[in-house]
Amino acid sequence: KSFEAGTELRFFGNRLNFDLTYFYNKNEDLIIVVPLAGSSGYTAQTMNAATMENKGIEAVLGGSPVKNDKLEWTLNVNFTKIKNTVLSLADGVESVNLGGYTGSDIRAVAGMPYATIYGTQWVKDDNGNVIIDDRETIGGEANDHYGYPFLSDEEGPLGSALPDWTCGISSLL
């Protein structure tokens, strides 16, 4: 299910152009590998088990700053912002591991952006400030963690593996 709307504007005999597009996609029954209880005899099953929403904008500004009989120089700037959200996963599945390493991994989690990075979180105070270990010594010994944040016992979202936006520039002679 998708929707797209946009406009394309040209000025000064096509020497300056502007394109703007908004899009929305809702994809249902996406095929993913879903973890299973080990008691089933299997650890995972590939199934149609996810719904995801993608929406965003794309803008392009371009033109020909130099255009004559001997030379034409075109310049384009492209900006894109996309928001991908996992709306739902299979019944009973909280998250699906998309890859990662020891200490952190990338997951699809219902209600979160697609490709959310999960890992050990830092301890924060009531105002959301990270608490830093300021003890130079512990029991008379040098503290190897001095100046580093305290680590929480809980895992949680750390950010997204996907960029907030992308931008590109092209120049042709």
Side-chain angles (χ1 to χ4, degrees):
K1 299 173 184 173
S2 65
F3 170 81
E4 184 173 321
T7 186
E8 181 178 319
L9 304 171
R10 306 269 177 204
F11 304 99
F12 310 114
N14 290 332
R15 290 204 49 193
L16 179 65
N17 59 72
F18 178 71
D19 299 342
L20 180 65
T21 305
Y22 168 81
F23 60 89
Y24 172 85
N25 294 311
K26 184 177 180 183
N27 301 297
E28 298 174 344
D29 295 327
L30 293 170
I31 299 171
I32 59 173
V33 178
V34 176
L36 296 174
S39 59
S40 69
Y42 298 92
T43 57
Q45 177 183 7
T46 302
M47 58 192 299
N48 297 64
T51 301
M52 191 163 75
E53 173 184 79
N54 304 309
K55 57 186 172 181
I57 61 165
E58 181 175 29
V60 178
L61 177 63
S64 298
V66 176
K67 186 174 185 179
N68 58 43
D69 294 338
K70 297 181 181 183
L71 177 69
E72 181 174 358
W73 173 38
T74 59
L75 183 65
N76 290 296
V77 177
N78 175 295
F79 172 84
T80 305
K81 181 171 179 65
I82 301 173
K83 183 177 179 183
N84 298 314
T85 305
V86 178
L87 299 178
S88 66
L89 296 170
D91 289 340
V93 177
E94 293 181 22
S95 69
V96 175
N97 189 328
L98 303 174
Y101 300 97
T102 302
S104 65
D105 57 5
I106 300 173
R107 301 180 190 176
V109 180
M112 299 291 292
Y114 180 75
T116 296
I117 301 169
Y118 269 73
T120 304
Q121 298 198 317
W122 292 333
V123 176
K124 296 181 181 180
D125 65 17
D126 294 336
N127 295 323
N129 299 311
V130 175
I131 299 175
I132 305 296
D133 189 346
D134 61 357
R135 302 168 299 169
E136 291 186 36
T137 60
I138 299 175
E141 298 290 323
N143 179 6
D144 292 337
H145 300 286
Y146 173 69
Y148 289 96
F150 283 104
L151 295 177
S152 170
D153 293 332
E154 297 179 18
E155 254 189 6
L158 302 176
S160 176
L162 304 177
D164 292 334
W165 54 271
T166 59
C167 189
I169 298 175
S170 66
S171 176
L172 299 171
L173 283 176

